[in-house]
Every structure is written in C-alpha cells, then in structure tokens.
Amino acid sequence: MMGKVLKKADAVVIGGGAVGTATAYNLALKGKKVVLCEKKNIASGATGRCGGMVVHCYGRFLNIEKTDYRLIFTRANTEIMKEYQQNFEVDFEFQQVGCLDIAIDEKEYDDLKKLLEIQRSLGDDEIELLDKKETLEVMPNLNPELIFGSRLRRSDGNLNPFFLARAQAVEARKLGAEILTHTKVDEIITRNNEVQGVKLTDGIIESEFVVNATNGWASQLTDDTEVIPVRELAMVTERLPDLPPQPFEMLCNGDFAYGATQTASGNYNLGGPGPARPPDYDYYDERIYADEVLRVMSYISAVFPSLNDVSVIRSWVGTMAFTPDGMPSIGPMPGIKGLYMAVGYAAGMSWAAISGKVISECICNEKPSLPIERMDPGRFIGKPKVKWPQPYDLTVCHDFLTGGA
Ligand SMILES: Cc1cc2nc3c(=O)[nH]c(=O)nc-3n(C[C@H](O)[C@H](O)[C@H](O)COP(=O)(O)OP(=O)(O)OC[C@H]3O[C@@H](n4cnc5c(N)ncnc54)[C@H](O)[C@@H]3O)c2cc1C
C-alpha cells in the first residue's frame, strides 16, 4: 500500500452532499463501519447550492420508458423522505406542496398535453393539466401575461437541502459513522482490479468498499464514469411578506428557469443555467458574473412583476451533473470489485435517499429493493465520450442515444 494507514473501515463514502450522507447513513444503519470523506464541508457541493425542489419527474422527456423508471425511484425516495422527516433529529423542511411546469405559449401547452396523455396511458395519473385560470388560482402571484397553462404534480414539493445533508450526517454519526470534512480523496486505491481503500494527502484509509458520491467531480476519481458537470445559478431575494408561490419550472426569455417556494424565512429562491464561461469552459468555476445575475433577476421581473422592486441579496453558482442518457449511475462499477458509484444527479433531491438505500443493499449483498440495471455505471464504457458544447443542449444526449455523438 502507498503510504501510512490512517484508519481502517468497512466502507469509505467520498462526497458529503445529499447522496453521500444518505449512503453513509444507510451503511451505518446496516452495521457497517463507515468513513465519509468530504473535501470541503457537508453540503458544500451542488447540494448546498441547489433550489431544494423535489420533482418526481423533472423536464419534458418524451421517452416514457425512462419517465416511468424515474418515477419508480423518485416515488420510493419520497416515501423515505417522509419517514426521515418524521424520525430525524434535524428538520429539513420537506413539504409536498406540488410543482408547476409552466407553459408560456400554445405550442408548449400542446407539448404538455401530449406528455400528459402518454404518461396517463401508462398509469401515471398524478399529473394534472391546468389552464391559465386554474394555474393562476394555484399560484396567484404569477404574471398573467406570461403564462398559458401548466402541468401540476401535487406530490412534488421542496426541502431545505443544507438541512437534508446535515440531518443524514447527524443520524449517520449517531450510528457510528465518521464524517471527515476538509478531507480530500486524491485517489481510489485498487490492486488487481479490487478496491483497497482511498488515498488522502497524509495517508490512506483501508477499506473493502468505496462509494464515489462526488457527482459533478466523479470522473476526476473514476475514469470510466461518464458524468458531465453542469454549472447552474441561483439567487434569493430579500425577505418578503407571506405570498408562497408553488415551486415551478419554465422556459423564460428562452432560458430554462426554476424557482422554489418562498422559504420559511420569507425569501424567494430562483435560478437557471449559468453557462460555462469561455475561453476555457470551466464548469467548476464558482465565481459569479454580473451578466448572469442580471439575467436571472430578469426572470424575477418576468415571472413576478409585482416583485419588480425587490432586492436580490445573494447569488451563487454550483456544479451539478448529467449523464448522456439523463439517468443517474447507481451501483457497482464493472471491472473494479468493491467500487460503487452514486453519481450523475441533475435533480438529486428526489433521488438521494433511495440511492443511499440501494447502494447499502448492494454492498451488504442484499437484493436491491429496486431494479438498478438501467442505471449501471458501466453502461457508457467503450462508447464515444460526449462533448458538451453548452449546458442544456440536450441534442447532445439525443445524438448519443442514436449513436451520432
Ligand atoms: C444552482 C443549482 C440549483 C439546483 N436546484 C435543484 C433543485 O431545485 N432540485 C434538485 O433536485 N436538484 C437541484 N440541483 C441539483 C442538485 O443540487 C444535485 O443533483 C444534488 O445536490 C447532487 O447531490 P450529490 O450529493 O450527488 O452531489 P454534491 O452535493 O455535489 O456532493 C458531492 C460532494 O463531493 C465532494 N467532493 C468532490 N470531489 C471530492 C474528493 N476528491 N474528495 C472528497 N470530496 C469530494 C464535493 O465537495 C461535494 O460536496 C441544483 C443544482 C444547482 C447547482
């Protein structure tokens, strides 16, 4: 082994976001001696920068097979969230207040209708199509000039992502897990295609199992994983009187925009893509630029004209991740015994808990409670690497799936 052995564990989880903390908790629950290594602080990655929306089936994918598959996982996740919310010491403010997918013209509304029909025909009867009047009844502070109608799923909602990660970390620690912050993993150590542990700056942790839960950073530690980092931006307004909007997603001024419900402290939370900055297209660039802030501020005026004069008090960017087929990678990494992946989450708030559960089942040699074959982390091995020209250019995924990338 390369370096001083600092400690020995049954499993090392790399990454202290929603997914890593869920995994550490579930492994500790099953009696494993777990060490979680986080290079910065708990929730310092995408988790602490996200909008906290819990959306069972985000986006407008017409690939219904995938949609269906997603729902199996995200619904299971919601059941676990309810249980955690009830039993955990830290309240992470999970609430099922619904989420609107807003159409701003007739064409978009027709697309929503098509999607609704397909989903209903496959037994997903949770989605409601709302016309303009009904949408405004659900969310009266929306701009009536801007909207055409919406799709509503009442079981969606939101949570406080910092508190979710903290809640899981606290429970994991109570069960004996060690949570090491400011502890960067430089390398996953393998010998003869078998995991031996992880290498830190000052030594190694020996372990039979390692879980890579670093999402946007995953490919820095595991070459064969195909995870595409994406920069996304968010901001909050000053505190406002009670006027809780629904969480929503929409295309706004030609851009994707999202917003979570007014937080418990009264702030509105809004965001959208923060395109990678040329010349070097650095998706890990955590600086925020004036033009990005102004763009998202313009969403606020467009979506909520009544809030034209409010101040934005804080804005930030974070790095999250996509995979070429839009599904996360969850399970054992083929070819390396003991290495598990839980990465590729673009909307991790509705996946984290179930991912942690399934990974812990795999590691403990139990049958995973949900089928994970479609999320095999090895499914991109040997395929051409995806070049991601700009975030949200989903034609890249399309080309890849049809063999064109
Ligand atoms: C602005 C923004 C808004 C978003 N809004 C939503 C939303 O409303 N709803 C939703 O569901 N999702 C949203 N997302 C996406 C969501 O944040 C992610 O899907 C989710 O947080 C992924 O969680 P994770 O634990 O996998 O990753 P992360 O939270 O990114 O955790 C990975 C961790 O790994 C650590 N790490 C990396 N490399 C190493 C290393 N070598 N050693 C040790 N540690 C390492 C990082 O520091 C990081 O803390 C948003 C993301 C952003 C950026």
Side-chain angles (χ1 to χ4, degrees), residues 31-259:
K32 292 285 180 199
K33 185 173 182 312
V34 189
V35 177
L36 183 150
C37 300
E38 162 54 52
K39 70 174 173 178
K40 289 184 178 171
N41 222 325
I42 294 300
S44 59
T47 297
R49 293 156 194 259
C50 90
M53 287 163 64
V54 179
V55 183
H56 286 83
C57 209
Y58 83 97
R60 293 180 186 170
F61 294 96
L62 284 165
N63 181 336
I64 195 64
E65 191 198 338
K66 258 191 233 160
T67 303
D68 226 19
Y69 199 63
R70 270 200 183 116
L71 279 173
I72 296 172
F73 279 82
T74 52
R75 281 180 175 149
N77 193 76
T78 294
E79 290 313 306
I80 303 175
M81 288 282 99
K82 289 199 255 184
E83 188 193 308
Y84 285 4
Q85 178 68 20
Q86 216 161 33
N87 300 332
F88 281 7
E89 182 184 320
V90 176
D91 174 8
F92 51 92
E93 299 168 0
F94 176 48
Q95 47 175 358
Q96 288 181 282
V97 287
C99 179
L100 289 172
D101 181 359
I102 297 169
I104 59 164
D105 58 33
E106 193 166 4
K107 155 95 183 57
E108 272 194 46
Y109 195 55
D110 281 347
D111 285 348
L112 292 188
K113 268 191 219 160
K114 265 185 229 146
L115 200 53
L116 181 102
E117 274 163 29
I118 303 174
Q119 288 185 269
R120 286 243 173 102
S121 71
L122 284 154
D124 177 9
D125 51 9
E126 270 183 350
I127 299 190
E128 296 163 45
L129 194 69
L130 308 185
D131 62 20
K132 179 173 181 157
K133 183 167 165 283
E134 291 162 332
T135 306
L136 287 168
E137 275 163 18
V138 171
M139 193 163 162
N141 51 350
L142 266 182
N143 181 359
E145 309 283 309
L146 189 74
I147 61 153
F148 212 88
S150 64
R151 219 165 45 124
L152 169 67
R153 190 187 292 274
R154 291 184 195 270
S155 58
D156 286 347
N158 62 1
L159 52 75
N160 181 320
F162 282 103
F163 291 166
L164 171 64
R166 183 170 152 67
Q168 294 175 150
V170 164
E171 298 302 323
R173 195 178 269 157
K174 280 186 199 164
L175 294 166
E178 254 189 283
I179 311 278
L180 305 179
T181 54
H182 303 284
T183 304
K184 181 170 183 284
V185 169
D186 290 330
E187 193 184 327
I188 298 169
I189 308 166
T190 59
R191 194 170 53 214
N192 300 329
N193 298 324
E194 214 169 297
V195 158
Q196 308 289 307
V198 296
K199 182 173 179 298
L200 312 179
T201 320
D202 53 348
I204 63 173
I205 304 178
E206 282 184 347
S207 181
E208 192 185 344
F209 301 105
V210 170
V211 182
N212 182 341
T214 61
N215 208 35
W217 292 265
S219 41
Q220 294 178 358
L221 288 167
T222 309
D223 285 343
D224 277 341
T225 194
E226 181 72 287
V227 163
I228 304 144
V230 176
R231 229 173 132 255
E232 179 119 350
L233 178 144
M235 58 176 52
V236 290
T237 68
E238 61 187 310
R239 292 168 69 166
L240 296 164
D242 263 6
L243 193 58
Q246 208 82 7
F248 67 90
E249 303 180 291
M250 68 191 302
L251 286 175
C252 194
N253 301 336
D255 260 332
F256 166 79
Y258 70 88

Side-chain angles (χ1 to χ4, degrees), residues 327-354:
M327 299 294 283
S329 290
I330 305 173
M333 189 71 195
I336 305 176
K337 189 162 175 254
L339 176 58
Y340 289 77
M341 306 295 292
V343 297
Y345 299 93
M349 296 308 110
S350 38
W351 285 83
I354 186 65

